[in-house]
Structure formats: structure tokens, C-alpha cells
């Protein structure tokens, strides 16, 4: 099976963030801060740690600040240099790509995740690529995408990250049906997007990290609207499975759904509690506060 190297990643960032209004009225939800970095930075860092060299952001209106975030802030950095603020400069340098390592294209209408991915087809070209959904932060010793790259190196084809959730939550996600496998790696035999309650084929959901072969673009081209009236990536992957293997990895790590308020707050809690500089003080102070409630 195709094991061509995966060099590029797609990160869809066109969503409106209505669940976080008014915080997201003039600021993209991907720029909301978890402790000391915007959500999108965690996803960017996970991709780079997995060897990704170029990231394609699929954006929409009012998302230009994401492009600024990954650029050099000339006036700011010049001022920091004049004032000899080396630590601050080092933080900025570590957080950004080199020139030419990002692309930005717009999803012109909110037609669904499948459509957002399809919008990247010209920039990705005919090579396999990673897809990371930035609502999902995954806290792990070894990044989730790196774990998936290990599976890809062995199996090639298509790889998706999955995790178990309680039965009463499966209707909110794409859900997979698995066949043979073991040691957290399984053949996927079926999948369905947002199955109505009581109809889910398993409790293993698709987590928001994918390694996909370029043939997915051909399928997305003609994919009709599915769950929620949107063009669904899950429906196109189900077609792809007819001709190519698709592997599920039950990754090691914990997921924080930053598309929901509680998930976003829990992400702040988790990353603060383990932060190299703030962790100890945060745990002590937050512990005292919670104990006094
Ligand atoms: C998307 C995918 C779904 C996946 C989920 C993970 O859904 O369509 O298969 O389980 O991300 O967060 P959305 O969150 O856009 O509704």
C-alpha cells in the first residue's frame, strides 16, 4: 500500500465559533488562549513534531489574524531586539514556521468538513497528507500525529485516530466499526457520521486526526451532503475504504474538545497543571480554591 512520505497537513479553520460568542465575535475561536498559547499553536506544534513541513490553513472571513500569528511581527520583534528581550524573542521564533511553510486558502461557503478539506486539493496535490481538526487538543507524551505516523510507516494507506466515549455521546461524532487488529491498531470495516442515538456501530469515535491518500479529493469532489446537510469527510472515507485500507489507531493521550466551553476550560486546567513554570503554583492555588468551595 502507498507509503509515500507525508509532508503536508491541512488544518481547517473556517468555523464561526458561535458557541463562544461574544468571545469570538472579532477573534477566531482558534486564537482563544489555552494557558499561554492560542489553541491553533498546539495543533501546529503537534504537526511539526510529527515531521510536517507545510501546513495548509483552510480559512474563512475574519480569520486573517491566524495568518498574522504565524508571520514575523516585524515592529514587535525589532523593539524586543532593541530592548534585548531575548527570552521573548526566542518564544516567538520557536512558535512560527519559516517563510513558505504555510499556505492559506478560503472555504468560501460553510458546506461542511468534507468541503473544507477539498478546498486544499490544489495546494496538497497528488500526495498523502495529514489533517488536524483544531477544535481537538490531544495531550500526550508523544504527539497523536507522531503515533499515527508510526502506524503509517508500517501499514501505509489511510490512518485515523479513534478513542472510546460513553455510549450516550456517540451521536455527536463520526463513529467507526472495527475488524481485525490488536495493540490499539485495527482495520476499519465501516464508519458513520453522527449516528442517531441507539444506532451507533461501536463506541469508538473519530478524534480529529487523519492521514489520508489524495484519492479522497476525487471522492469529495462528488460527495453529496450527508449528516446535518453538510458534505461529510466520513462519507467520503467510507467510499475510499472500498479501494484502500483504512487503519484506526486508538492513540495514547487525552483529548480536550475545545469546540465546547467545558472542554476548553478542562484544556486550560490540564495544560496549566502540567505547565513547566506555572504548574506547581497553579495546582496549589487551584487546589485551595476548589477545596474551599
Ligand atoms: C468532525 C467529524 C467527526 C469527528 C469530529 C471530531 O465533526 O466530522 O467525524 O468525530 O469532528 O471532533 P464536527 O466536530 O465538525 O461536528
Amino acid at each position: 500500500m502507498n507509503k509515500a512520505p507525508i509532508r503536508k497537513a491541512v488544518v481547517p479553520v473556517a468555523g464561526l465559533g458561535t458557541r463562544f460568542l461574544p468571545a469570538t465575535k472579532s477573534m477566531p475561536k482558534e486564537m482563544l488562549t489555552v494557558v499561554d498559547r492560542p489553541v491553533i499553536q498546539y495543533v501546529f506544534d503537534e504537526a511539526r513534531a510529527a515531521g510536517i513541513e507545510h501546513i495548509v490553513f483552510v480559512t474563512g472571513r475574519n480569520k486573517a489574524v491566524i495568518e498574522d500569528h504565524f508571520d514575523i511581527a516585524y515592529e514587535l520583534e525589532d523593539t524586543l531586539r532593541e530592548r534585548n528581550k531575548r527570552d521573548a524573542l526566542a518564544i516567538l521564533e520557536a512558535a512560527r514556521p519559516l517563510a513558505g511553510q504555510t499556505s492559506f486558502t478560503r472555504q468560501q461557503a460553510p458546506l461542511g468538513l468534507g468541503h473544507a478539506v477539498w478546498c486544499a486539493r490544489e495546494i496538497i496535490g497528488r500526495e498523502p497528507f495529514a489533517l488536524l481538526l483544531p477544535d481537538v487538543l490531544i495531550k500526550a507524551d508523544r504527539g497523536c500525529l507522531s503515533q499515527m505516523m508510526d502506524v503509517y510507516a508500517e501499514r501505509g494507506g489511510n490512518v485515523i485516530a479513534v478513542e472510546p466515549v460513553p455510549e450516550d455521546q456517540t451521536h455527536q461524532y463520526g463513529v467507526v466499526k472495527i475488524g481485525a487488529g490488536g495493540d490499539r491498531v485495527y482495520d476499519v470495516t465501516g464508519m458513520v457520521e453522527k449516528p442517531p442515538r441507539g444506532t451507533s456501530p461501536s463506541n469508538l469515535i473519530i478524534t480529529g486526526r487523519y492521514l489520508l491518500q489524495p484519492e479522497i479529493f476525487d471522492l469529495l469532489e462528488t460527495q453529496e451532503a450527508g449528516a446535518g446537510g453538510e458534505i461529510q469527510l466520513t462519507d467520503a472515507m467510507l467510499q475510499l475504504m472500498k479501494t484502500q485500507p483504512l487503519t484506526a489507531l486508538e492513540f495514547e493521550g487525552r483529548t480536550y474538545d475545545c469546540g465546547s466551553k467545558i472542554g476548553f476550560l478542562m484544556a486550560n486546567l490540564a495544560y496549566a497543571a502540567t505547565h513547566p513554570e506555572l504548574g506547581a503554583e497553579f495546582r496549589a492555588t487551584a487546589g485551595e480554591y476548589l477545596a474551599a468551595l
Side-chain angles (χ1 to χ4, degrees):
M1 196 53 236
N2 191 357
K3 286 188 185 178
I6 298 182
R7 304 184 302 117
K8 296 179 188 168
V10 175
V11 180
V13 290
L16 293 175
T18 46
R19 278 191 272 178
F20 284 88
L21 286 169
T24 50
K25 185 179 171 193
S26 63
M27 182 177 67
K29 61 176 174 167
E30 298 80 9
M31 291 302 292
L32 292 173
T33 307
V34 171
V35 186
D36 52 8
R37 291 184 283 164
V39 166
I40 193 76
Q41 185 75 50
Y42 291 84
V43 175
F44 179 86
D45 291 347
E46 181 186 333
R48 274 213 303 198
I52 295 297
E53 296 164 10
H54 189 110
I55 299 195
V56 182
F57 293 92
V58 181
T59 73
R61 295 173 63 76
N62 299 325
K63 301 282 182 168
V65 66
I66 295 175
E67 199 165 343
D68 291 341
H69 176 74
F70 288 110
D71 192 9
I72 288 183
Y74 180 77
E75 297 88 342
L76 170 66
E77 296 182 31
D78 213 38
T79 307
L80 291 174
R81 248 186 304 277
E82 268 171 30
R83 297 184 184 170
N84 210 20
K85 302 265 186 200
R86 288 168 194 273
D87 292 354
L89 275 169
I91 288 171
L92 293 180
E93 261 165 37
R96 73 165 171 253
L98 299 176
Q101 290 183 326
T102 49
S103 297
F104 295 81
T105 189
R106 282 196 179 190
Q107 183 183 23
Q108 294 170 329
L111 301 178
L113 175 61
H115 177 256
V117 174
W118 178 76
C119 290
R121 70 201 179 283
E122 302 259 335
I123 305 175
I124 296 293
R126 301 308 291 182
E127 55 181 279
F129 62 99
L131 168 65
L132 301 96
L133 307 191
D135 275 352
V136 185
L137 291 194
I138 304 176
K139 199 165 184 302
D141 291 340
R142 182 165 163 73
C144 179
L145 202 68
S146 299
Q147 296 176 43
M148 294 168 73
M149 289 286 198
D150 296 343
V151 174
Y152 181 81
E154 276 197 12
R155 295 190 158 213
N158 304 271
V159 181
I160 58 173
V162 301
E163 69 182 305
V165 299
E167 295 286 352
D168 64 350
Q169 290 176 20
T170 51
H171 67 283
Q172 302 168 17
Y173 300 97
V175 180
V176 297
K177 195 174 167 190
I178 55 167
D183 199 18
R184 295 175 164 263
V185 177
Y186 311 95
D187 295 332
V188 178
T189 57
M191 60 176 66
V192 54
E193 183 66 22
K194 309 218 166 58
R197 285 175 191 272
T199 67
S200 187
S202 80
N203 69 338
L204 279 181
I205 64 149
I206 303 171
T207 295
R209 301 288 185 272
Y210 313 72
L211 301 177
L212 296 166
Q213 297 294 328
E215 287 74 23
I216 195 75
F217 292 127
D218 308 332
L219 297 163
L220 286 170
E221 178 101 29
T222 52
Q223 184 61 55
E224 296 194 353
E230 297 190 334
I231 297 170
Q232 295 291 354
L233 177 65
T234 303
D235 295 340
M237 289 195 297
L238 191 61
Q239 298 304 314
L240 187 66
M241 281 170 47
K242 290 179 180 166
T243 54
Q244 296 187 8
L246 200 146
T247 303
L249 168 67
E250 198 182 334
F251 59 95
E252 291 182 27
R254 178 151 178 195
T255 303
Y256 297 92
D257 177 7
C258 290
S260 80
K261 283 184 191 167
I262 192 70
F264 175 71
L265 292 172
M266 290 307 292
N268 271 284
L269 183 68
Y271 283 95
T274 55
H275 192 281
E277 286 148 34
L278 307 169
E281 190 181 345
F282 177 77
R283 286 195 302 276
T285 319
E288 272 170 34
Y289 179 82
L290 292 172
L293 280 181

